[in-house]
């Protein structure tokens, strides 16, 4: 089959050389450029329908952001190349969940799904062929192939004496240090070159602004709009050690309730499977002899239960033999790799999960290892190879790029079918994933990288979860816990720890059941942080509603909110959480850091100290203070913390009014757990402040009351 | 032009699907397998003629080592794939100058030229699509494309219930630690899959044994035979700091003579150029106002002068404008990248070097940066991109793989044309490089890696130079110096150090001109080591002659000499230096290590202590002892050390006879510096030991006397 496909492609190339591209306007501010022979299995083949109505509400300047017909295409042995120019001053961001780079001008980005960064070449577990420019447009290559972007990273050499003259002016004596030798290497370049490997054509989508915020709104709404998590998804999740049995799980479930530390979701790691690596998807009879009892007990304690798995199917799994014909020709960890492009694989995998796990009461899954460790230590390598073939006809190269995307979509669709929202964890993703209600996470653990990824997630329609595991110190523990609080999903992941990290943050000591002398004090600090998270739920929920209906990324770099401010172009350790809160995490246990405040005034969330915008300050904060700053003119709704969300929960809200004049705030109220809001079944609660009095206006037909406004405070 | 090439390829694929392969026997024990449409620019296009006469002397068992017609070929979107089976017990070695792996069964090897290893996936500055098997054959893929080898590293999944049953027997409870989860991942696999990217056909060369030694002999002789360095190339080379001017260079040239520390070659680093990074190839007028005087003075002191360069040509270089039309379309460090496939680029680059540098008295070059830093930190990245095009029609992907090969060949040919031998340093290489008289080196610096590369060099027709730079301690200094002594080329590379590392081994202190309290003592230790190197010259010279005439790798893993010994299959820190000496470097300043002795008896070179073979011993050695062991039955010719080699040098040799019975040893005697030996202009001096008397038989027509046998010692 593959042979004939290849031959077919070649015939087309022979008959149809690369002609000039066609340019088509799809929606306001969204163009599609096509050149050459399209590939099979494009990311757009798997995406949700765009939110056309919401797209139509974004003003269209009705002009191409740059000359789309000036893009030059050519074929090379390795693939198809597109070439065009950047402005001298333009800056570039994006490329999915990049780990160790923020500003991407001058970089080469190799878009390859890999668990580890491999230096800094563009690899990530959710890399994307999509970037945005400070000139107010986005460029997306619609492909699952490997793509390389040269973003002004290479210098063309003009074959003329003119260039020689130009370069001669740069004549220098050689430097004397290695740094000098290497650093004077490149002249600035304005060339963008994009290569799609193994392709005979290219599809480019261009998203217009005019500003970068509108680029991201258009991208997210074109994807189908951002997912709104279930209300309980905004609380804390605790993942217990993989070796735990039912009694050990119960002990820690009870711990949170005894200590009144809020916790909404409890996650079980590989040990719940009768076999893992690869997975059986059946309960481990030794550790969990009565799974229904575990589920019921957890539900009785108001926990949502979350199960770890990956999609490599062990031969002992009940679905193995049935799914084998719809799997690839290579095993991963002895397991079959289902081809989620085929309806059959989705149905076999999905109906098993639906019947045996979701209908039994499992609220969410952690979808692990769907990236790859393909450029790493050989011993730790896993993935199907490039040469793998799948029943749909896709090869290992492309399937590896979109495997995580298709896996999360398959699982999310099961919940959607049952009209229940979920919040998945997933280890890999790709284009157009915003609607799937999942957060990305990683085995990498650098705190600075984790913060940078929160910014980069805003350029890619993803949620990023900077989870807490072991730490180096008390300071590191609390600061990381703060960062996970200031993220889409608050997780303490103890999959290799006996006890919560605040018992002992050092891995081995924790596993020896040693406790820190002051662990009860740390426990109280942690409790207060989770309570603060619970207080932020109404604000966060409204923020995600805006992601859904307007495409505004909930967590994002300052450049989206302050596009005219040159200072923010390089800031990769501060970000917006919604429209009103700026987060500035303290890294590596620091108690002092530089913070830049954009225009306007800002208030320290803790002390209410006021900072004048347009300046940087050195800010000191104790471990009892959270590095959140409130924009002047904000009405911040803070809930009285509850220990968990139930279908009956009503949150008592204080409205905190910062400065004057004040912009109205909007709360989103629905049933908190279904997709009924899509049919208009929700309320819009507008909070405003006028003449020193708070005003609440509720509109909508939703009966369920989530919120009760109890008082107002003005600073 | 590229467009039409591509279209042509496609037509051929359409017209000519992959038929069964053709198998052709080229020479005794060498087969060529061809399938599909051949690529343009194969490594064989650039190789020297094979030494057919020498090849014919290796016994031919006249049977294919495995069924060459059973190799299965298929086309996939990414390239052409060959598949066949390994025996259950077979072990695999090779893939060029692999850095962090020795035994390659179970590994994926991505053959890509890169300065850094990038985890452990097969990247190296001299990776090669060539491996050898303990079953006594070698497989070489004749391509400059990226190649991926899956050496039993991936598990196919059979789509039958049988497999499920088979795998069910492996059912296990999930492990409780991360290590357990990941480690039980793969079943052993016997599948070899090889993918050549962007290709529509494949050429495989198979080299027969019967043992691995004959595989390597056939490969090296097919390449044209190994290069014999000039006699002076076997002494010490010192590379001085890049910022040094003529006076500073002279000071250190005088230092070696004053201290009577042997030194044959002196190397200048980038600072000799008027511009470096990229290069002008003209002298820096400030630091070297009178280059002829420098050259003459150095020659007067009996030094050979070596110049650093790379082949990125700065616009201020006299050859820039002339070579521009014969260069690629992208600059590296602002410089033009000559297309050495074109005769024009070779001639412009070569004739300039010949006239202005070689004819002026430059004896050798260090050819730097012809690898790439393409998978590394983005800031440190350099190379032309994959999408580069060159005048010959080759693209950046393939040219990057063979750039170092073509560069060294171009430079070596200049010396050959002038009938002078040289010993180049080069940073990248590829297939069939044995004849070019060069050593590989690297910016990497792990001592274990350096030793492992000495072993791996023997599987690839390369010389590897584990150069000494800064160190961590006195012990590290002396042990690294010992390893560079026990290598093809002894180098102390002070390109970023003010002083020799024995003044101070710590970089910053060295550059502050601080000296160690015992630096004079260290200097004496170093002196004795260089003197030992000078003593070994007759033995090493004969070893390289055997490389040339018989293809036997001079430095090699024990598996080539002891193929029947299962113990040596994993030993990656001991190696043979020629036929008689086993080296077992002490790493990281250790004073004790395990050493395995293969069959027969062995003598500690220092104490003459005897070790019985077939066993391991814990061996302690002081810093005054060199970890060299002499095989029983050896006649080891040791020269009285001289400070440098001149055209008049006659080395006085003591023959050291180890044990009884003794095999004759052979010395190679020629003029030491030209290619006249190729016309038979050399002597063969056979040393034998009979009835407690040494016997010397000299045959040949060479008049120049290199050696004088002065006495015999028997242990």
């Amino acid at each position: 089959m593959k042979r004939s496909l290849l031959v077919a492609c070649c015939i087309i190339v022979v008959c149809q050389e690369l002609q000039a591209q066609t340019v088509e306007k799809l929606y306001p501010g969204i163009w599609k450029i096509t050149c050459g022979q399209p590939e099979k299995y494009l990311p757009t083949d798997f995406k949700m329908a765009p939110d056309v109505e919401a797209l139509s509400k974004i003003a269209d300047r009705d002009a191409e952001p740059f000359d789309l017909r000036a893009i030059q295409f050519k074929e090379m042995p390795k693939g198809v190349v597109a070439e065009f120019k950047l402005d001298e001053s333009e800056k570039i961001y994006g490329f999915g969940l990049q780990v160790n780079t923020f500003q991407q001008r001058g970089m080469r980005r190799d878009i390859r799904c890999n668990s580890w960064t491999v230096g800094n070449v563009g690899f990530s577990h959710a890399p994307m062929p999509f970037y945005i420019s400070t000139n107010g447009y986005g460029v997306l290559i619609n492909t699952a192939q490997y793509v390389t972007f040269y973003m002004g990273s290479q210098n063309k050499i003009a074959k003329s004496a003119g260039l020689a003259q130009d370069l001669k002016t740069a004549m220098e004596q050689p430097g004397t240090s290695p740094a000098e030798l290497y650093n004077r290497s490149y002249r600035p370049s304005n060339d963008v070159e994009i290569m799609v490997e193994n392709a005979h054509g290219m599809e480019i989508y261009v998203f217009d602004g005019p500003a970068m915020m509108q680029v991201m709104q258009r991208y997210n709404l074109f994807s189908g709009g951002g997912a709104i998590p279930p209300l309980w998804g905004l609380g804390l999740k605790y993942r217990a050690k993989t070796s735990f049995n039912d009694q050990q799980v119960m002990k820690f479930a009870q711990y949170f309730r005894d200590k009144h530390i809020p916790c909404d979701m409890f996650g079980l790691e590989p040990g719940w499977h009768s076999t893992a690596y690869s997975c059986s998807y059946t309960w481990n009879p030794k550790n969990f002899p009565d799974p229904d009892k575990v589920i019921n007990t957890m539900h009785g304690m108001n926990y949502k239960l979350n199960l770890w798995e990956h999609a490599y199917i062990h031969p002992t799994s009940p679905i193995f033999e049935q799914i084998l014909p719809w799997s690839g020709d290579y095993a991963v960890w002895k397991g079959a790799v289902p081809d989620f492009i085929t309806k059959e694989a989705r149905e076999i995998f999905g109906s098993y999960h639906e019947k045996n796990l979701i209908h039994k009461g499992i609220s969410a899954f952690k979808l692990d290892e769907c990236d790859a460790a393909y450029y790493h230590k050989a011993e730790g390598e896993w993935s199907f190879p490039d040469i793998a073939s799948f029943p749909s006809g896709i090869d290992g190269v492309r399937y590896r790029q979109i495997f995580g995307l298709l896996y999360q979509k398959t699982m999310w669709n099961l919940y959607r079918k049952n009209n229940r929202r979920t919040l998945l964890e997933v280890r890999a993703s790709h284009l157009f994933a915003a609607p799937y209600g999942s957060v990305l996470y990683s085995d990498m653990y650098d705190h600075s990288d984790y913060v940078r990824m929160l910014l980069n997630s805003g350029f890619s329609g993803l949620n990023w979860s900077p989870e807490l595991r072991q730490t180096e110190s008390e300071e590191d523990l609390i600061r990381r816990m703060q960062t996970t609080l200031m993220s889409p999903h608050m997780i303490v992941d103890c999959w290799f720890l006996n006890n919560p990290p605040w018992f002992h943050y050092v891995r081995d000591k924790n596993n020896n059941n040693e406790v820190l002398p002051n662990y009860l004090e740390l426990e109280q600090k942690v409790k207060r942080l989770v309570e603060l998270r619970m207080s932020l739920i109404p604000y966060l929920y409204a923020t995600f509603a805006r992601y859904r209906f307007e495409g505004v990324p909930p967590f994002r770099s300052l450049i989206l909110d302050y596009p005219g401010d040159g200072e923010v172009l390089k800031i990769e350790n501060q970000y917006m959480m919604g429209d009103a809160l700026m987060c500035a995490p303290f890294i590596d246990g620091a108690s002092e850091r530089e913070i830049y405040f954009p225009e306007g005034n800002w208030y320290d969330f803790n002390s209410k100290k006021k900072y004048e915008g347009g300046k940087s300050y050195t800010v000191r904060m104790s471990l009892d203070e959270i590095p959140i700053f409130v924009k002047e003119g904000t009405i911040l709704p803070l809930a009285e913390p509850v220990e968990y969300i139930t279908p009956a929960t009503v949150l008592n809200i204080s409205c905190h009014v910062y400065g004057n004049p004040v912009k109205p705030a909007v709360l989103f109220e629905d049933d908190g757990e279904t997709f009924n809001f899509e049919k208009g079944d929700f309320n819009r609660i507008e909070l405003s402040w006028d003449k020193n009095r708070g005003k609440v206006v509720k509109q909508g037909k939703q009966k369920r009351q989530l919120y009760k406004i109890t008082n107002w405070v003005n600073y």
Side-chain angles (χ1 to χ4, degrees), chain A:
Chain A
M1 188 170 77
K2 262 174 305 296
R3 174 74 49 80
S4 61
L5 273 177
L6 179 117
V7 171
C9 282
C10 290
I11 290 171
I12 288 155
V13 171
V14 172
C15 302
Q16 182 190 317
E17 290 198 354
L18 286 183
Q19 304 288 340
Q21 59 268 41
T22 60
V23 178
E24 187 186 351
K25 187 167 183 179
L26 300 180
Y27 300 100
I30 304 180
W31 291 264
K32 176 181 172 183
I33 303 157
T34 312
C35 187
Q37 174 60 22
E39 298 170 60
K40 207 175 173 187
Y41 300 129
L42 299 175
T44 44
D45 296 339
F46 309 113
K47 73 184 279 296
M48 304 280 291
D51 187 336
V52 177
E53 194 194 329
L55 276 173
S56 72
K57 290 180 188 159
I58 304 173
D60 181 11
R61 60 175 162 174
D62 209 21
E64 297 174 3
F66 63 99
D67 183 357
L68 305 181
R69 282 154 195 87
I71 302 172
Q72 298 285 320
F73 292 89
K74 64 177 177 185
E75 278 211 53
M76 295 201 67
K78 201 178 177 186
V80 173
V81 178
E83 299 186 306
F84 51 100
K85 294 283 178 189
L86 296 174
D87 280 355
E88 201 77 44
S89 62
E90 205 171 345
K91 302 287 181 205
I92 302 294
Y93 300 87
F95 298 108
L97 203 54
Q98 292 293 314
V99 178
N100 40 13
T101 319
F102 173 59
Q103 208 282 102
Q104 308 290 355
R105 174 107 190 220
M107 307 296 275
R108 180 178 106 241
R109 296 290 87 181
D110 272 1
I111 304 304
R112 297 196 186 186
C113 183
N114 198 61
S115 282
W116 308 93
T117 55
V118 180
N120 182 5
V121 297
F123 296 2
S124 145
H125 35 264
M128 293 183 192
F130 174 46
Y131 66 83
I132 73 171
S133 157
T134 49
N135 278 8
Y137 65 89
V139 171
L140 181 153
I141 311 299
N142 187 25
T143 185
Q145 294 283 9
Y146 290 162
V147 193
T148 303
F149 290 82
Y150 301 89
M151 301 308 299
S153 69
Q154 290 281 353
N155 289 120
K156 283 197 176 167
I157 196 160
K159 304 217 168 168
S160 70
L163 176 85
Q165 202 48 52
D166 165 29
L167 290 176
K168 271 177 191 166
T169 62
M171 177 172 168
E172 300 152 75
Q173 295 299 322
T176 57
S177 75
E180 283 173 296
L181 287 174
Y182 283 82
N183 270 345
R184 300 165 309 144
S185 31
Y186 292 106
R187 297 191 306 155
S189 158
N190 300 324
D191 296 323
V192 172
E193 297 101 340
I194 303 169
M195 173 184 269
V196 180
E197 295 186 22
N198 312 318
H200 300 284
M202 204 187 288
E203 273 190 23
I204 303 180
Y205 285 72
V206 174
F207 298 86
D208 193 25
M212 288 179 283
M213 179 63 96
Q214 288 83 45
V215 174
M216 287 316 307
Q217 290 181 266
R218 288 188 214 272
Y219 169 76
N220 289 328
L221 294 171
F222 180 71
S223 303
I228 306 176
L231 202 65
W232 53 260
L234 296 174
L236 176 70
K237 176 161 68 191
Y238 185 85
R239 304 203 72 93
K241 196 173 188 182
T242 188
S243 59
F244 276 9
N245 63 20
D246 49 3
Q247 294 309 310
Q248 290 166 302
V249 167
M250 287 309 159
K251 177 183 151 197
F252 280 96
Q254 193 58 49
Y255 161 79
F256 283 93
R257 297 300 179 245
D258 289 347
K259 296 287 186 154
H260 305 292
I261 301 171
C263 187
D264 272 279
M265 199 178 350
F266 214 90
L268 306 185
E269 286 286 320
W272 79 266
H273 290 263
S274 61
T275 306
Y277 283 78
S278 46
C279 291
S280 65
Y281 316 100
T282 56
W283 291 86
N284 176 333
K286 182 164 149 276
N287 286 346
F288 296 91
D290 190 347
D292 289 341
K293 189 175 160 206
V294 173
I295 295 171
N296 290 336
T297 312
M298 292 299 278
H299 285 178
M301 296 168 78
N302 294 295
Y303 280 107
K304 302 292 180 290
L305 202 57
N306 173 308
L307 295 181
W308 174 98
E309 62 168 55
H310 56 218
Y312 309 117
I313 302 162
H314 193 264
T316 58
S317 170
I319 57 174
F320 179 76
E321 287 176 30
Q322 204 189 346
I323 213 163
L324 204 48
W326 307 103
S327 301
D329 55 354
Y330 282 84
V332 175
W333 288 303
K334 301 176 192 165
V337 185
D339 181 351
F340 288 126
I341 294 176
T342 69
K343 193 166 171 250
E344 292 84 353
R346 292 198 304 270
E347 282 188 355
I348 296 163
F349 195 83
S351 63
Y352 176 86
H353 276 78
E354 197 178 5
K355 182 177 164 208
N356 296 286
L357 299 168
I358 297 174
H359 286 171
K360 295 275 174 82
I362 301 304
S363 300
F365 290 88
K366 175 178 175 180
L367 311 177
D368 207 16
E369 316 284 26
C370 48
D371 43 3
Y374 210 60
Y375 290 92
H376 192 45
K377 295 183 184 172
E379 318 85 64
E381 177 186 329
W382 86 84
S383 183
F384 43 86
D386 287 358
I387 54 171
S389 289
F390 290 83
S392 63
I394 203 167
D395 65 336
V397 176
R398 283 173 293 165
Y399 196 60
R400 196 179 313 111
Q401 298 281 82
I402 59 173
F403 181 42
L405 181 82
L406 297 175
Y407 185 17
Q408 71 186 290
K409 185 180 176 186
T410 299
M411 296 299 285
W412 179 80
N413 268 333
L414 302 175
Y415 284 96
R416 187 175 171 83
K417 185 180 156 198
N418 285 278
N419 196 25
R420 287 168 58 188
R421 268 138 66 198
T422 185
L423 187 60
L424 305 166
E425 278 173 282
V426 67
R427 253 273 284 281
S429 200
H430 202 256
L431 292 167
F432 311 126
Y436 302 138
S438 50
V439 297
L440 274 286
Y441 64 99
S442 170
D443 277 354
M444 291 180 281
Y445 200 51
D446 182 273
H447 195 177
S448 297
D449 287 346
Y450 272 24
V451 171
R452 192 180 300 107
M453 288 155 92
L454 280 165
L455 280 73
N456 285 339
S457 72
F459 302 129
S460 44
L462 296 176
N463 297 311
W464 164 249
S465 159
E467 64 181 32
L468 174 70
R469 303 197 291 263
Q470 84 286 9
T471 68
E472 303 268 308
S473 66
E474 250 177 68
E475 291 73 18
D476 192 29
L477 174 77
I478 299 300
R479 296 306 187 188
R480 282 181 179 271
M481 187 77 181
Q482 290 178 341
T483 301
T484 186
L485 182 166
M486 302 183 295
S487 87
H489 191 34
M490 189 178 197
I491 308 182
V492 177
D493 183 4
C494 294
W495 80 273
F496 56 63
L497 296 176
N498 265 351
N499 299 296
W502 46 92
F503 283 27
H504 207 303
Y505 47 78
V506 175
R507 180 174 177 160
D508 291 345
K509 299 193 174 188
N510 184 302
N511 281 328
N512 278 339
N513 297 319
E514 293 177 44
V515 293
L516 293 162
N518 62 338
Y519 85 99
L520 289 172
E521 187 193 312
L522 287 176
E523 187 179 71
Q524 286 308 304
K525 284 188 203 295
V526 165
K527 179 169 185 267
R528 285 194 294 274
L529 286 173
V530 190
E531 284 172 348
L532 173 55
R533 174 75 183 195
M534 300 307 282
S535 293
L536 285 167
I537 284 182
Y539 173 78
L540 290 171
Y541 202 53
T543 295
F544 277 100
R546 205 169 166 219
Y547 187 29
R548 171 62 189 83
F549 296 115
E550 297 172 54
V552 174
F555 290 77
R556 56 191 187 254
S557 155
L558 303 180
I559 67 166
L560 294 184
D561 292 68
Y562 301 94
D565 186 341
E567 292 296 312
V568 303
L569 293 173
K570 286 185 195 166
I571 294 178
E572 52 186 0
N573 57 6
Q574 298 176 220
Y575 56 92
M576 297 302 295
M577 172 163 69
D579 301 332
L581 303 182
M582 181 173 72
C583 305
F586 283 61
I587 309 282
D588 293 338
S591 55
E592 188 176 291
R593 61 160 287 177
E594 286 295 302
I595 300 178
Y596 176 75
F597 293 88
E599 67 175 355
N601 293 317
W602 296 81
Y603 293 82
D604 180 323
F605 179 83
N606 315 280
S607 65
K608 317 303 173 199
K609 180 181 167 183
K610 196 165 164 181
Y611 291 91
E612 194 183 325
K615 293 183 192 167
S616 287
Y617 297 83
T618 302
V619 178
R620 288 189 66 86
M621 276 198 178
S622 76
L623 291 183
D624 290 319
E625 294 172 295
I626 182 102
I628 292 178
F629 299 88
V630 187
K631 192 195 255 188
E632 186 165 56
T634 292
I635 299 172
L636 182 66
L638 289 177
E640 197 176 297
V642 293
E643 287 185 41
Y644 42 79
I645 302 290
T646 74
T649 301
V650 178
L651 296 170
N652 293 321
I653 290 180
S654 289
C655 294
H656 297 251
V657 182
Y658 289 83
N660 198 5
V662 168
K663 281 197 299 186
V666 174
L667 293 178
F668 176 73
E669 188 175 55
D670 72 339
D671 58 27
E673 56 188 16
T674 76
F675 290 90
N676 294 350
F677 72 84
E678 292 183 344
K679 295 172 244 156
D681 200 3
F682 64 87
N683 302 324
R684 184 181 184 278
I685 303 174
E686 186 175 287
L687 309 171
S688 57
W689 181 252
D690 188 28
K691 297 174 187 133
N692 289 325
R693 257 191 85 236
K695 189 174 157 197
V696 181
V697 178
K698 184 163 172 172
Q699 289 178 301
K701 58 182 184 179
Q702 171 62 250
K703 295 285 182 293
R704 166 85 165 85
Q705 186 185 8
L706 290 184
Y707 308 127
K708 188 174 161 195
I709 312 296
T710 54
N711 69 314
W712 294 76
V713 191
N714 182 23
Y715 305 108

